[in-house]
Coordinates of all heavy atoms in Angstrom, one line a residue:
G222 N -21.4 -6.7 5.2 CA -20.9 -7.9 5.7 C -19.4 -8.0 5.5 O -18.8 -9.1 5.5
I223 N -18.7 -6.9 5.3 CA -17.3 -6.9 5.0 C -16.4 -6.3 6.1 O -16.8 -5.4 6.8 CB -17.0 -6.0 3.7 CG1 -17.7 -6.6 2.5 CG2 -15.5 -5.8 3.4 CD1 -17.7 -5.8 1.2
V224 N -15.3 -7.0 6.3 CA -14.3 -6.6 7.3 C -13.3 -5.6 6.7 O -12.8 -5.9 5.6 CB -13.6 -7.8 7.9 CG1 -12.5 -7.3 8.9 CG2 -14.6 -8.7 8.6
S225 N -13.0 -4.5 7.3 CA -12.0 -3.6 6.7 C -10.6 -3.9 7.2 O -10.4 -4.4 8.3 CB -12.3 -2.2 7.2 OG -12.1 -1.9 8.5
A226 N -9.6 -3.6 6.3 CA -8.2 -3.8 6.7 C -7.8 -3.0 7.8 O -7.0 -3.4 8.7 CB -7.3 -3.5 5.4
E227 N -8.4 -1.8 7.9 CA -8.1 -0.9 9.0 C -8.5 -1.5 10.4 O -7.7 -1.4 11.4 CB -8.8 0.5 8.8 CG -8.5 1.5 9.9 CD -9.3 2.8 9.7 OE1 -10.2 2.8 8.8 OE2 -9.0 3.8 10.4
S228 N -9.7 -2.1 10.4 CA -10.1 -2.7 11.7 C -9.2 -3.8 12.1 O -9.0 -4.0 13.3 CB -11.6 -3.2 11.6 OG -11.7 -4.3 10.7
V229 N -8.7 -4.6 11.1 CA -7.8 -5.7 11.4 C -6.5 -5.1 12.0 O -6.0 -5.6 13.0 CB -7.5 -6.5 10.2 CG1 -6.5 -7.6 10.5 CG2 -8.8 -7.2 9.7
Y230 N -6.0 -4.1 11.3 CA -4.7 -3.5 11.7 C -4.8 -3.0 13.2 O -3.9 -3.2 14.0 CB -4.4 -2.3 10.8 CG -3.1 -1.5 11.2 CD1 -1.9 -1.9 10.7 CD2 -3.2 -0.4 12.0 CE1 -0.7 -1.2 11.0 CE2 -2.1 0.3 12.4 CZ -0.9 -0.1 11.9 OH 0.3 0.6 12.2
N231 N -5.9 -2.3 13.5 CA -6.1 -1.7 14.8 C -6.3 -2.7 15.9 O -6.1 -2.4 17.1 CB -7.3 -0.7 14.7 CG -7.0 0.5 13.9 OD1 -5.8 0.9 13.8 ND2 -8.0 1.2 13.4
S232 N -6.7 -3.9 15.5 CA -7.0 -5.0 16.5 C -5.8 -5.8 16.9 O -5.8 -6.5 17.8 CB -8.1 -5.9 16.0 OG -9.3 -5.2 15.8
I233 N -4.7 -5.7 16.1 CA -3.5 -6.5 16.3 C -2.7 -5.8 17.5 O -2.5 -4.6 17.5 CB -2.6 -6.5 15.0 CG1 -3.4 -7.3 13.9 CG2 -1.3 -7.2 15.4 CD1 -2.6 -7.3 12.6
N234 N -2.3 -6.7 18.4 CA -1.6 -6.2 19.5 C -0.3 -7.1 19.7 O 0.0 -7.9 18.9 CB -2.4 -6.2 20.8 CG -3.0 -7.6 21.2 OD1 -2.2 -8.6 21.1 ND2 -4.2 -7.6 21.6
E235 N 0.4 -6.8 20.8 CA 1.7 -7.5 21.0 C 1.5 -9.0 21.4 O 2.5 -9.6 21.6 CB 2.5 -6.7 22.1 CG 2.9 -5.3 21.7 CD 3.7 -4.6 22.7 OE1 3.8 -5.2 23.9 OE2 4.3 -3.6 22.4
D236 N 0.3 -9.4 21.5 CA 0.0 -10.8 21.8 C -0.6 -11.6 20.6 O -0.8 -12.8 20.7 CB -0.9 -10.9 23.0 CG -0.8 -12.2 23.8 OD1 0.3 -12.8 23.9 OD2 -1.9 -12.7 24.2
T237 N -0.8 -10.9 19.5 CA -1.5 -11.5 18.4 C -0.6 -12.5 17.6 O 0.6 -12.1 17.4 CB -2.0 -10.4 17.4 OG1 -2.8 -9.5 18.1 CG2 -2.8 -11.1 16.3
T238 N -1.1 -13.7 17.3 CA -0.3 -14.6 16.5 C -1.0 -15.1 15.3 O -0.4 -15.6 14.4 CB 0.0 -15.9 17.4 OG1 -1.3 -16.4 17.9 CG2 0.9 -15.6 18.6
L239 N -2.3 -14.9 15.2 CA -3.1 -15.5 14.1 C -4.3 -14.5 13.7 O -5.0 -14.1 14.6 CB -3.6 -16.9 14.4 CG -4.6 -17.5 13.4 CD1 -3.9 -17.8 12.1 CD2 -5.2 -18.8 14.0
V240 N -4.5 -14.3 12.4 CA -5.7 -13.7 11.9 C -6.3 -14.6 10.9 O -5.6 -15.1 10.0 CB -5.3 -12.3 11.1 CG1 -6.6 -11.7 10.5 CG2 -4.7 -11.4 12.1
T241 N -7.6 -14.9 11.1 CA -8.3 -15.9 10.2 C -9.6 -15.2 9.8 O -10.5 -15.0 10.6 CB -8.5 -17.2 10.9 OG1 -9.4 -18.0 10.0 CG2 -9.2 -17.1 12.2
L242 N -9.7 -14.9 8.5 CA -10.8 -14.2 7.9 C -11.2 -14.8 6.6 O -10.3 -15.1 5.8 CB -10.6 -12.7 7.7 CG -10.3 -11.9 9.0 CD1 -9.8 -10.5 8.7 CD2 -11.7 -11.7 9.7
M243 N -12.5 -15.0 6.3 CA -13.0 -15.6 5.1 C -12.8 -14.7 3.9 O -12.8 -13.5 4.0 CB -14.4 -16.1 5.2 CG -15.4 -14.9 5.5 SD -17.1 -15.4 5.8 CE -17.2 -17.2 5.8
Y244 N -12.5 -15.3 2.8 CA -12.4 -14.6 1.5 C -13.7 -14.2 1.0 O -13.9 -13.0 0.6 CB -11.7 -15.6 0.5 CG -11.2 -15.0 -0.8 CD1 -10.4 -15.8 -1.6 CD2 -11.3 -13.7 -1.1 CE1 -9.9 -15.3 -2.8 CE2 -10.8 -13.2 -2.3 CZ -10.1 -14.0 -3.1 OH -9.5 -13.5 -4.3
A245 N -14.7 -15.1 1.0 CA -16.1 -14.7 0.6 C -17.1 -15.4 1.5 O -16.9 -16.6 1.9 CB -16.3 -15.1 -0.8
N246 N -18.2 -14.7 1.9 CA -19.1 -15.3 2.9 C -20.1 -16.3 2.3 O -20.6 -16.1 1.2 CB -19.9 -14.1 3.5 CG -20.8 -14.6 4.7 OD1 -21.9 -15.0 4.5 ND2 -20.2 -14.6 5.9
N247 N -20.3 -17.4 3.0 CA -21.2 -18.4 2.5 C -22.6 -18.1 2.4 O -23.4 -18.7 1.7 CB -20.9 -19.7 3.3 CG -21.1 -19.5 4.8 OD1 -20.4 -18.7 5.4 ND2 -22.1 -20.2 5.4
E248 N -23.1 -17.1 3.2 CA -24.5 -16.8 3.3 C -24.9 -15.6 2.4 O -25.9 -15.7 1.7 CB -24.9 -16.5 4.7 CG -25.0 -17.7 5.6 CD -25.7 -17.5 6.9 OE1 -26.6 -16.6 7.0 OE2 -25.4 -18.1 7.9
I249 N -24.1 -14.6 2.4 CA -24.5 -13.4 1.7 C -23.5 -13.0 0.6 O -23.7 -12.0 -0.1 CB -24.6 -12.1 2.6 CG1 -23.3 -11.8 3.4 CG2 -25.8 -12.4 3.6 CD1 -23.4 -10.6 4.2
G250 N -22.4 -13.8 0.4 CA -21.5 -13.6 -0.7 C -20.6 -12.5 -0.6 O -19.9 -12.1 -1.6
A251 N -20.5 -11.8 0.6 CA -19.7 -10.6 0.7 C -18.2 -11.0 0.5 O -17.7 -12.0 1.1 CB -19.9 -10.0 2.1
I252 N -17.5 -10.3 -0.3 CA -16.1 -10.5 -0.6 C -15.2 -9.6 0.2 O -15.2 -8.4 0.1 CB -15.8 -10.3 -2.1 CG1 -16.7 -11.3 -2.9 CG2 -14.3 -10.6 -2.4 CD1 -16.6 -11.0 -4.4
N253 N -14.4 -10.2 1.1 CA -13.4 -9.4 1.9 C -12.2 -9.0 1.1 O -11.7 -9.7 0.2 CB -13.0 -10.2 3.1 CG -14.0 -10.1 4.3 OD1 -14.6 -9.1 4.5 ND2 -14.1 -11.2 5.0
P254 N -11.6 -7.8 1.4 CA -10.4 -7.4 0.7 C -9.2 -8.1 1.3 O -8.4 -7.5 2.0 CB -10.4 -5.9 1.0 CG -11.1 -5.7 2.3 CD -12.1 -6.8 2.4
I255 N -9.1 -9.4 1.0 CA -8.0 -10.2 1.6 C -6.6 -9.7 1.3 O -5.8 -9.7 2.2 CB -8.2 -11.7 1.2 CG1 -9.5 -12.2 1.8 CG2 -7.0 -12.5 1.7 CD1 -9.5 -12.2 3.3
T256 N -6.4 -9.2 0.1 CA -5.0 -8.7 -0.2 C -4.7 -7.5 0.7 O -3.6 -7.5 1.2 CB -4.9 -8.3 -1.7 OG1 -5.2 -9.5 -2.5 CG2 -3.6 -7.8 -2.0
E257 N -5.6 -6.6 0.9 CA -5.4 -5.4 1.7 C -5.2 -5.9 3.2 O -4.4 -5.3 3.9 CB -6.5 -4.5 1.6 CG -6.7 -3.8 0.2 CD -7.9 -2.9 0.1 OE1 -8.4 -2.5 1.2 OE2 -8.3 -2.6 -1.0
I258 N -6.1 -6.8 3.6 CA -6.0 -7.3 5.0 C -4.6 -7.9 5.3 O -4.0 -7.7 6.3 CB -7.2 -8.2 5.3 CG1 -8.5 -7.4 5.3 CG2 -6.9 -8.9 6.6 CD1 -9.7 -8.3 5.4
A259 N -4.2 -8.8 4.3 CA -2.9 -9.5 4.5 C -1.8 -8.5 4.5 O -0.8 -8.6 5.3 CB -2.7 -10.5 3.3

């Protein structure tokens, strides 16, 4: 249930203005690597 920083980086394009990703999931508790993603 985790999003990788690499997938975020690869998804950003010349029209991107906002990235919104949860720190920890409310259902399964998965913790995203927010520092790496930022």
Side-chain angles (χ1 to χ4, degrees):
I223 294 173
V224 178
S225 71
E227 181 181 9
S228 69
V229 175
Y230 177 90
N231 291 334
S232 298
I233 295 173
N234 60 42
E235 294 182 351
D236 201 40
T237 305
T238 56
L239 172 66
V240 176
T241 173
L242 294 167
M243 60 187 0
Y244 195 172
N246 188 269
N247 54 300
E248 289 194 28
I249 60 173
I252 301 171
N253 277 321
I255 292 299
T256 301
E257 294 178 21
I258 290 171

